[in-house]
Structures are given as C-alpha cells and as structure tokens.
Amino acid sequence: MDRFSPGESLGRELAETGYIHRPLPLHPENSLEARCLQKKVLRERVLWDMRSLEGWSGKGPGTLNHNGVPDDLGRVSLRMELPAVTGRWPEEAPDGDYTPFCRQLALYRVDSENWEDYNRISLWIRPDCPGARTVSIALIFANSGATPVPDPYGREGHHELYPLNRSWNHCVLEIPELPRDKITMIGFESAAFGKDRSTGDFLRFDIGEIRLQQVESPEPVHGWLPGDGRIAYAMSGYAVEGRKTAILRAAGKEPPVFTLRKTSGETALEGKARFYPSPLGDFYVLDFSALGPGEYTLQCGDTVTPPFPVSGRIWADSVWKALNFVFCERCGYPVTGKHGGCHGDIIAEHGGLKLVYNGGWHDAGDMSQQTLQSADVMFSLLELARQVRGENKQLYLRLLEEAEWGLDFVLKCRFGDGYRASSAGIVDWSDGFIGNMDDRPARVQNNSFDNLLYAAYEAYAAETLEQDPMLCEKLLSVAEEDFAFAGAVFRERGFSERPVKWEHSYATSPSQYMATRSWAASLLYRLTGKAEYAAAAVQSADYVLRCQRTEPVGETDLWGFFYRDTDKRVIQHFNHQSRDQVYMQALALLLQTQPDHAESGRWRRGLEYFAAYIKALMRRVEPYGMLPGGIYHRDEALDGESFERQHQGLGAGATEEYGLQLRAGTALDGEHYLRIFPVWFSFRGNSAVHLAAGKAAAVCGKVLGDGELLDIAREQLYWVLGKNPFCQSLMYGEGHNYPEQAAFLPGTMTGQLPVGIQTRNHEDVPYWPQSNNATYKEVWLTAAGKWFSLVAELQKPAGAHCP
C-alpha cells in the first residue's frame, strides 16, 4: 500500500463520491457533540416550560408566537419565522458588503440570575425551512455581572447550532467558561442569507423546552492540562520516523506505567511515563518512539485510546478529507447537498470591462471570496500533487483537477494590465440575476505583492501541468508579465503601497515582500534560465537577510528571527493569515538554483539561524509541539502604521491591551517578551500561524538534513489531530472527539478545519470553548491549504528543498 491510499472504510466512501465529486458523508457519531449528549446529568431545572410566551420578545422583520400544535403534555413550542430575503439591505450596511438581508431575534428575559451552579444548556429545536440544505441558528446570552457578555468583539455568548431540517433536534451546550453570575437574557438569532437554488421563501424554527443542567465531567476549555483520564495523542497516528509521545495531566511525582498493545491484544511495548514539570503545568509524558510499524492502543491507568497506526501513510485519510472540504467550498459550482451554482451576479469592473466574480473557493463559513487565497490553496494542491505523482495516481489526478479549478479562477480574474478582481465580502446566496438589488461589486486592485505571488504560483503551475502544454505556455507568459507588473508598481510606490484592508495581504511587511520577490524570481529563473531573475532573487535576499536578527535577545538562546524591515524596530509576526514559510522557501530555492553563488554560504547561515530559533521556541512550549507565536518588543504598538496593518479589528484601548498581552507572556529582558500564542484582538485562532511555521521548519529540516526540525514540523499536524490540551481533533471527521465548527452557509463538511485555538482576553493560555462562532471556530480554506503544503514538504527527499 502506498503512502496515500485511504483506509478501507474511507476508501469505500470515496468510491461512492466518485472520488469526491460529491461530498463525503459526515460521521457525527464520533463528534464532541455526540459525546456530550451521553454525559450524566447531576441536577437540572426547567428554564422555559413551553406553557406561556411570557418573557419572550421578538426583534426583526419576522414573527414570534406559539406554533399552535400542542405536544403530548399540552405544551406548545415557540415559533420564530423570518423571510429568506427582504429585497433590501439593512440600514447599517446599505452597500450589501458582508451582511445578510436581515436578522430575527427571539429573546427570553432572565431576571439577573446566577447560573454558576449549572454548566450546560439543553434545548430542543425543529427547523422548517423549505429547500434549505443547511440550517443555522444562533443561541445567544447576555450577562451583566462581573464579566459582561457579549464581550467587546461579540464572540462570547454566541453559539451557532446546525439542527437537521424538519426534525426535532436535542442540542446541548456546555458553558463552564461562560460568565453567568448575572444572566439577563437567553435567546435565538437567525439570519436571512438569501436564496440558494432550492431555498424557499421563509425560515421557521420551533423551539421547545429549555433546561439548565449540571453534568458530570464537563469538557476542559481553558489551560494546558488535559482533563482527568484523558490522553493527548495524535489520533491519526504517528510517523515511523521521529519522536512519538503522548501527554497526560500529572497526578503526582511518581509516574505511572503505560502499555502499547497490538490490535490482537499482544503487548508491543511497556514503559514508565516521565514526570515533566514545566511553566505550563505538571505533566506525564509517555514516550514510545521505539515503536515500529503497526496498529496499537495506548493504555495508561484506566484510560485506553482507540487504535491508531504507526505508519508511513498516516496523512492519507486527512488529505482526502481536507480535499473534500475544499471541493465543498467551490464557488460558482453546484455541490450536491450543499449549494447550487452561486454568485453569478458579483461583478468586477475595470477599464470599461466587466467580469463575473465567481469561481475558485469560498473563504470560510461565509461566502466571501479572495483571489489570492484561492491562489494560495491552488499552489498547495499542486505541491502535494507533485509529491504523490507516481505513487497514488487517483489522488494525483484529483489534486490536479481541484488545483485547475482554482487556477482557472486566478487567470479569469486577471485584466492583463496588472489589475485583478481581488475580493468580495459576501455572506449570502445571491439570486444570480444581474441588474437588481443584490448585485455587489468585487474589489479590483493592482497590488505589487499580490502580483509577485501570482507570478510565483503561475510559474510553479507551468512546471507542474505538463499534460497541458499550451496552458503551460500561457502560464509562463503571464507569470513573467505579473512579475513585471509587480516591479512597475514597486518602482512607483515602494513599500508605501497599501492593499485593500480586508484582504490577507494587508499586513505585508517589507521583509516579507522581499522574501516573496526572491522566491518568485528563483521560480522564474528555474523555469526560464534568465539571468535577470537570478539577479532579482539574490538582490531581494540581501534585503531579507539584513532584516534577520543575528545576536541573542538578552541572555537567551533566541535569535534568527526576522524584523519587518531593515530598521529592526518591529519584529515580523503573523496572527491570522500567515506566510511565515516564505523566508525559508526563498533561501532554500536560492541554494537549489544558484548553489555556487558567492552568497550561498550566507543563505545557508540564514536558514541555520532560523532553524536554531525554531528549536529554541519549541523548548518554551514542551511537552506540547505547537510552535509558539514568537518574540515581541514592548514598543511595537507605538509604530501606528505597522501595528494597524498587522491587526484587523482593532478596538479602543488596543495599545494598552497590547501591553497586557505581552506581560501575560514571558519576559525575556527589559524590552522583549515571548508569546506562545500571537498578540491578537478580534481575529483569533492560530491554525495558519503554527502550520506555516511548521512548513518553515520542514523546509529547514530538508535542506539541513535535520531530523529534529522534521519532528517539529510533524508536531504541528499532531497538535491539530488531537495532541492538544483538549484532546480533540480539529479536523471534522478525522480521528474522534471533533467539535462542530462555524460553517454558516455551506454547513458541516468532512475534513473542515477551523481558524484555530484561541486565547481568552489578554492571556497566553489556550482557550477552546464548545461555543461555536467566528473567528476561532469558523471553517477556513486557508487552514486546508496550509495542511496540504506541510504534508507535501514532509514527503520531499532529505537534503534539499526539491520541487
């Protein structure tokens, strides 16, 4: 069996999808929500008994009343109804940018009650939404006690539910973390997201009995220690090479014995856990690195894991499932059970021309679109396709097919003069007719950084898609043109260029720009042999390396990171979208394409310095493997221009909040702090951040032949698949104990990945409540792209950063 053949059960399901030309089935039976429904209720009280509408009020264009059909006990559910479309945008968003048509609320007044004796809400709900393939409704709370809810960013006290249409659904939400000392309201909110091909005229919800409950063993949601009786381990298995460890909460200094058994029951390995005290807490670390290939269970005390493999093909199932997620996010394409062909009335205009802005993939749980994000994912699909070619033809061809869908969109959006249709803020299904009120404009820009990345991706595609030589010929032509367009804009504007605020290139720094320019130029040099590209790659890398710190911070072993520019005042950070890997990609590709250059020793030292930094960072978060956010300087918030560009959604008091977040990290000297999680504000969740850092580690590991760096890279994948403090897989449908995520319009998809684990307030401690909303739990295409890219890097031969 090759490294990317799916497991037997998944293989059957893939065949039934026509190898993902229809979505994979969901497996909610292995989800966190299914597990929570099985918990023992210790005490409860009825909050609303369905006998009266007293205490309820509505807000919005819809209606709120009894449904008129009593149940067996004579009780009548609450009925909330709203139109699917209204024919106008809300007053607060008259241009229709990133807004539904309307929102309808059903609010239940609570008289400042203290709910701290309860840790779960239980309720029943039945949607009746004609033609709706996905139904979402939010459960909302208000607290006026010591910690107000909602919080300033509207995250706390908001939980998205995805009940099955035309069925009664028992929904539970654990709330151990929710401030609830003075609850004043609980309610429901539904948004009119427009009409998909099949959607009817209204959305209707019947709401049944609501109870407050105290349940046994609520899920841990905060901190580094796994719950009692939980093992944090990689649920999809471990690579044959490298370290294999699992983590438990320590119950004393005397470590327990653990046992690995084959599925036959035969003992394969027995060992003693290592007591591991750290600033993060006291742990037991179970090390079974000596284990060879096979299928095993892990037992420590009374806790036994489900079987997991040690194998060379542990990433196969996750790759196929993530590919399913990407397919389900296609824009402008009918996806069975998800949506029809969509967004044919989003229009980009430039130079007297118009184009319909659909294609590629939607951004996330909303329907927004960013051309550069689709290009990022397209590139990652091609990266992985190169690595599986000759090994798994079915996956190779399917990856190419999906990449070509994205590539077509990237080329479609190109006006040919440097300008591209670049993004649109969409959170609805539009009707597809051009000329009425729900048409929206797509943004158009001529951005130097974006064109560098497009040039790089087009050059890479031209190398990869040799089965279509005429397309490759065109790709080479447009790659050279886009590189030239980038240069023309840069000569005019330099680093003062400001892209569209809500796009993922908004935070681009001069050093990141130059790293990207070097990488793109090296790709073009590899493809064309033209000396001008070799020179551009070298020149740009010189700037990048002048941004690298080459001396330790204070008395620490931390150095080798990059600053945003050669002034070396503001350190390069990523907190949402991340392209951390491009620095190492640029240096590695220079070493590959110009190995005899006089600067090659300097390029290699740049890799070695950053590799040392990665290793030093990892020592600060052990026994976990998630790469930390990095080092911050105390005065960075005083640089208003870079601070605003790095952080979307800044609120009042952001400078003070920056200081609080730093002080919650680890002080290194009088000026610098280490954060395990990034400094961030409204946009929280770090999947892209640590996966991109893992890619950088893998690039370094391959070039330097360093197994420790490759272990670090694999640990980023292990963290996502269960080796985290919450013992949850963050990929829905892979492993087990995976939570529901915010997928407002497409609905839950096998293989979906979220923005990532967040922190609470200014803390530097992981926070992962069951509450399900944006941004941290919103499904995000970027995370899937990072997944493909890191898995691809780990498949490459050692000793070089090869294509």
Side-chain angles (χ1 to χ4, degrees), residues 505-582:
S505 56
Y506 186 69
T508 302
S509 68
S511 65
Q512 185 188 354
Y513 179 96
M514 284 301 192
T516 303
R517 183 173 184 264
S518 178
W519 182 58
S522 288
L523 284 166
L524 283 166
Y525 174 56
R526 188 169 72 183
L527 195 57
T528 67
K530 293 180 180 179
E532 64 196 79
Y533 295 126
V538 171
Q539 176 208 29
S540 301
D542 175 71
Y543 183 95
V544 172
L545 290 173
R546 285 189 285 120
C547 297
Q548 190 173 31
R549 185 173 179 117
T550 56
E551 68 281 343
V553 172
E555 301 298 318
T556 74
D557 56 354
L558 292 161
W559 53 290
F561 54 86
F562 292 89
Y563 289 87
R564 286 181 65 84
D565 57 33
T566 54
D567 291 343
K568 293 189 174 182
R569 291 186 297 110
V570 180
I571 299 168
Q572 176 66 55
H573 309 293
F574 298 93
N575 55 58
H576 184 56
Q577 173 61 275
S578 176
R579 296 190 174 90
D580 199 5
Q581 77 286 347
V582 74

Side-chain angles (χ1 to χ4, degrees), residues 729-803:
S729 170
L730 307 189
M731 179 181 283
Y732 196 92
E734 178 68 356
H736 56 91
N737 208 34
Y738 34 81
E740 190 62 87
Q741 299 167 22
F744 318 104
L745 278 86
T748 301
M749 299 159 279
T750 291
Q752 66 190 20
L753 285 161
V755 174
I757 291 174
Q758 62 163 342
T759 58
R760 186 169 61 185
N761 302 324
H762 59 268
E763 298 175 345
D764 197 19
V765 174
Y767 178 49
W768 190 240
Q770 189 185 352
S771 294
N772 173 26
N773 59 53
T775 52
Y776 64 101
K777 270 196 178 174
E778 185 173 6
V779 302
W780 195 26
L781 200 72
T782 284
K786 302 298 182 190
W787 190 267
F788 296 136
S789 187
L790 178 48
V791 170
E793 198 68 39
L794 288 168
Q795 310 314 307
K796 294 177 182 177
H801 177 57
C802 301

Side-chain angles (χ1 to χ4, degrees), residues 14-53:
L14 285 168
E16 290 170 3
T17 69
Y19 287 84
I20 315 181
H21 294 100
R22 292 171 175 265
L24 281 167
L26 303 175
H27 286 283
E29 67 275 11
N30 296 321
S31 69
L32 172 71
E33 284 69 25
R35 186 171 178 274
C36 288
L37 280 169
Q38 304 305 312
K39 291 187 179 181
K40 182 179 179 181
V41 177
L42 302 176
R43 59 181 296 199
E44 64 180 341
R45 77 173 175 90
V46 176
L47 180 66
W48 182 63
D49 62 7
M50 303 171 60
R51 297 189 183 279
S52 167
L53 286 182

Side-chain angles (χ1 to χ4, degrees), residues 215-277:
V215 295
E216 197 170 52
S217 302
E219 296 298 305
V221 300
H222 179 258
W224 290 102
L225 296 174
D228 291 331
R230 305 281 183 90
I231 299 176
Y233 75 105
M235 296 175 182
S236 296
Y238 294 81
V240 175
E241 63 277 18
R243 293 183 66 211
K244 307 170 190 64
T245 62
I247 302 165
L248 290 83
R249 170 196 293 260
K253 293 186 178 181
E254 181 57 36
V257 171
F258 65 91
T259 305
L260 279 297
R261 292 187 179 87
K262 299 179 181 180
T263 51
S264 65
E266 177 187 351
T267 297
L269 185 149
E270 192 169 85
K272 193 169 187 179
R274 178 164 56 100
F275 177 63
Y276 192 94

Side-chain angles (χ1 to χ4, degrees), residues 1 4 32 44 105 142 166 221 242 294 302 351 402 544 565 691 698 799:
M1 182 180 288
F4 287 94
L32 172 71
E44 64 180 341
L105 289 86
R166 292 177 173 160
V221 300
D302 294 330
E402 200 64 31
V544 172
D565 57 33
L691 289 172

Side-chain angles (χ1 to χ4, degrees), residues 346-360:
I346 311 300
I347 308 298
E349 298 189 43
H350 170 68
L353 301 174
K354 297 181 180 181
L355 65 83
V356 173
Y357 188 66
N358 67 354

Side-chain angles (χ1 to χ4, degrees), residues 101-113:
F101 287 93
C102 68
R103 298 180 189 275
Q104 177 65 40
L105 289 86
L107 307 176
Y108 185 69
R109 185 183 68 253
V110 181
D111 294 328
S112 299
E113 293 182 0

